[in-house]
Amino acid sequence: QVQLVESGGDLVQPGGSLRLSCAAFRIIASSSIMGWYRQAPGKERELVASITSGNTNYTDSVKGRFTISRDNAKNTVYLQMNSLKPEDTAVYYCNARRMTYPRYDAWGQGTQVTVSP
């Protein structure tokens, strides 16, 4: 079965940096739409960043601060988060999906990011 394993969540101070990792199993990340989502308590889950073979996309609130990247050799996707703000606090989820065969829509278990002074 497809599996995504996130790591890297932590408690950091505002202005700090953190790198989240998403290791993919039974998934070729480079052939998938990879995304990082986040969900804060009481709020909707939102797409933070995504990466395909040709594009990266970011929600406006993280542009210039977050960078999504992919290491094809390790089949791992990263989210580098800089200049963190308290409003970035959320559970961050990795997602991998393909819209063509073999189709899948897989989610990791989530990793907690807390930004607090």
Side-chain angles (χ1 to χ4, degrees), residues 11-89:
L11 171 65
V12 297
Q13 295 181 346
S17 297
L18 206 59
R19 188 179 76 161
L20 306 183
S21 298
C22 173
F25 302 90
R26 296 184 181 271
I27 294 172
I28 303 174
S30 61
S31 298
S32 305
I33 302 170
M34 305 297 300
W36 284 98
Y37 291 73
R38 67 185 181 188
Q39 187 168 24
K43 296 185 178 181
E44 298 289 329
R45 185 175 298 187
E46 67 169 338
L47 176 64
V48 176
S50 63
I51 185 168
T52 65
S53 60
N55 294 284
T56 57
N57 291 281
Y58 302 90
T59 191
D60 287 343
S61 63
V62 308
K63 287 181 179 177
R65 300 189 298 119
F66 290 12
T67 303
I68 187 170
S69 62
R70 187 172 57 219
D71 185 334
N72 292 335
K74 296 182 178 180
N75 209 32
T76 299
V77 177
Y78 304 94
L79 184 67
Q80 178 67 46
M81 304 183 293
N82 298 325
S83 302
L84 283 162
K85 304 175 181 179
E87 52 263 43
D88 296 319
T89 295

